[in-house]
């Protein structure tokens, strides 16, 4: 399986070619328009028959005669076809059928001109018209004409807007994305009322034919990054695409790395904040998560709420997050290494409590730590998968009961339970759910190295981890920016959050050097002044 995945990735890279080289062809200038339609594949030419019976027969053959295909004969020459539950029945009965029944001259051009709806087109390709019907359109065929009129009136069920569940915040917007692409785009346009907001529509998946939109601000986002994202998506040759998380893994720089190179967010305000910072956003129809890229390692630990807090408080919270990362990854391995090889690093007052706590434990520290960490992960997964009320009960009661029983049975020590609980609590401080999963996973190999080689094993793991992070990129941009390569002027919004007058709006991974937008800031008096790059 590993070699198959590797070969598949190599094929993908070969198809995309040089993805980081911006296109200079004037024909690709259409990507900067506010709304452009891009397709990932071309259909073979299949004409539409002017005979109604032949036309209906070909449509049934193409879509294998589904039970929800509705065929209605409006008049002697006009026939409509549509998929049940994919269109708005009230619009069909109130605005389309009355016009078709009272029309004087039944031709595709006259129908197109008399229908009081915005999305009406005349098609001459059978495959293209069927694809449009499957997205929620009514197909109107007139006998004697090799054309068909398509009226797009989609009706897709979607849940109402609600607060984000995985990215909650106290101060700021309390609305999240849902599974409707049109609704999510409207949420973005609610925050960004700019004519420079570009929206490119594509379709991915030979079976699902999933719609997605690439959003960016023209003149702010790097054209090279936009071309890279567009080319990688167009080069995909897959059967299905269900969620945005799948797309992010398919188009990132290194799918074999456990570190995410693109952010998945369900917050429209965080999504729009990234667009305003020069990033590229991707929204997938049917997914409640938006993709932002390029994204650096340090940005995964920044929250949108940091900008809503006063800068000293936001700086303290950010530093607290990085301290929590260190605690979550290294505290349990340090416990294992200290008790296995390095008793001399333990303070004298702690030696007696540690000895008494481990007096009844028959296992070495490495097995004791792995056992407790595994129990903690089982409790976390059980609490996340069960219904809300039951999950909370399992997490609290299960943790208390199992912890107390493990100590009384002599399987583990009290001090290790405190350390493991502190590490688990620290891992939940990360604003990004995907990065939090990475931090929890990193503990296990480091614990094993600490159990075999002590602090030397921890340092080996740290060196390998740093080398891996320094080698990673996101859309070709350094993953460890602004620390590597160092950019001192971009450190003001990394580990700390300086006051707004001292922060340049754009991020280092998506900077447009000649954009005036990236060279302006607001001073304390509200006047605008230019800052040299």
């Amino acid at each position: 399986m590993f070699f198959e995945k590797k070969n598949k990735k190599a094929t993908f890279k070969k198809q995309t070619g040089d993805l980081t080289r911006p296109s200079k062809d004037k024909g690709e200038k259409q990507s900067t328009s506010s709304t452009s339609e891009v397709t990932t594949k071309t259909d073979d030419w299949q004409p539409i028959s002017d005979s109604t019976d032949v036309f209906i027969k070909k449509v049934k053959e193409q879509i294998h005669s589904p039970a929800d295909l509705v065929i209605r004969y409006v008049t002697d020459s006009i026939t409509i076809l549509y998929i049940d539950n994919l269109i708005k029945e009230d619009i069909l009965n109130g605005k389309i059928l009355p016009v078709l029944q009272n029309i004087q001259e039944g031709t595709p051009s006259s129908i197109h001109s008399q229908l009081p709806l915005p999305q009406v087109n005349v098609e001459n390709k059978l495959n293209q018209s069927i694809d449009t019907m499957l997205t929620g359109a009514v197909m109107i065929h007139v006998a004697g004409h090799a054309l068909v009129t398509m009226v797009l009136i989609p009706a897709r069920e979607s849940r109402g807007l609600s607060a984000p569940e995985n990215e909650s915040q106290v101060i700021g917007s309390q609305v999240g994305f849902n599974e409707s692409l049109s609704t999510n785009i409207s949420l973005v346009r609610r925050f960004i009322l700019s004519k420079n907001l570009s929206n490119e529509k594509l379709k991915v998946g030979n079976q699902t034919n999933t719609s997605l939109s690439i959003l960016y601000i023209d003149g702010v986002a790097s054209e090279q990054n936009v071309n890279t994202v567009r080319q990688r998506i167009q080069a995909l040759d897959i059967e299905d695409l269900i969620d945005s998380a799948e797309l992010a893994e398919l188009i990132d720089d290194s799918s074999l790395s456990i570190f995410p190179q693109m952010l998945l967010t369900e917050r429209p305000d965080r999504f729009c904040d990234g667009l305003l910072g020069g990033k590229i956003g991707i929204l997938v129809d049917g997914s409640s998560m938006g993709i932002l890229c390029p994204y650096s390692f340090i940005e995964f630990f920044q929250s949108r709420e940091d900008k809503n807090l006063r800068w000293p408080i936001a700086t303290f919270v950010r530093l607290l997050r990085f301290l929590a990362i260190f605690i979550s990854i290294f505290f349990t391995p340090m416990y294992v290494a200290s008790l296995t090889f390095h008793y001399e690093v333990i303070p004298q007052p702690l030696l007696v409590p540690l000895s008494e706590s481990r007096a009844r434990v028959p296992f070495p520290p490495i097995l004791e730590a792995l056992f407790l960490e595994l129990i903690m992960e089982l409790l976390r997964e059980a609490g996340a998968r069960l219904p809300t009320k039951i999950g909370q009960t399992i997490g609290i009661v299960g943790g208390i009961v199992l912890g107390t029983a493990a100590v009384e049975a002599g399987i583990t020590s009290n001090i290790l339970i405190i350390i493991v609980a502190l590490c688990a609590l620290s891992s939940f401080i990360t604003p990004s759910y995907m990065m939090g999963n990475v931090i929890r996973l990193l503990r296990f190999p480091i614990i094993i190295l600490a159990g075999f080689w002590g602090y030397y094993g921890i340092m080996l793991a740290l060196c390998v981890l740093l080398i891996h992070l320094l080698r990673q990129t996101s859309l070709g941009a350094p993953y460890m920016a602004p620390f590597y390569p160092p950019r001192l002027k971009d450190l003001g919004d990394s580990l700390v959050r300086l006051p707004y007058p001292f922060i340049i709006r754009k991020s280092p991974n998506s900077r447009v050097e000649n954009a005036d937008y990236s060279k302006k800031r607001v001073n304390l008096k509200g006047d605008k002044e230019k800052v040299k790059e």
Side-chain angles (χ1 to χ4, degrees), residues 23 230 271:
S23 176
R230 186 189 303 113
F271 188 86

Side-chain angles (χ1 to χ4, degrees), residues 29-30 48 105 140 393 423 466 474:
K29 190 62 178 177
Q30 61 177 351
I48 295 176
E105 183 183 357
I140 305 174
T393 305
C423 293
L466 288 177
S474 179

Side-chain angles (χ1 to χ4, degrees), residues 480-492:
M480 291 300 292
F483 302 101
Y484 177 80
R487 294 179 66 99
L488 298 180
K489 58 185 176 181
D490 295 317
L491 294 176

Side-chain angles (χ1 to χ4, degrees), residues 207-227:
Q207 298 294 336
T208 59
N209 206 22
T210 305
S211 300
L212 60 88
S213 290
I214 302 176
L215 301 173
Y216 60 93
I217 298 181
D218 187 24
V220 177
S222 170
E223 185 178 354
Q224 177 177 332
N225 291 338
V226 174
N227 291 333

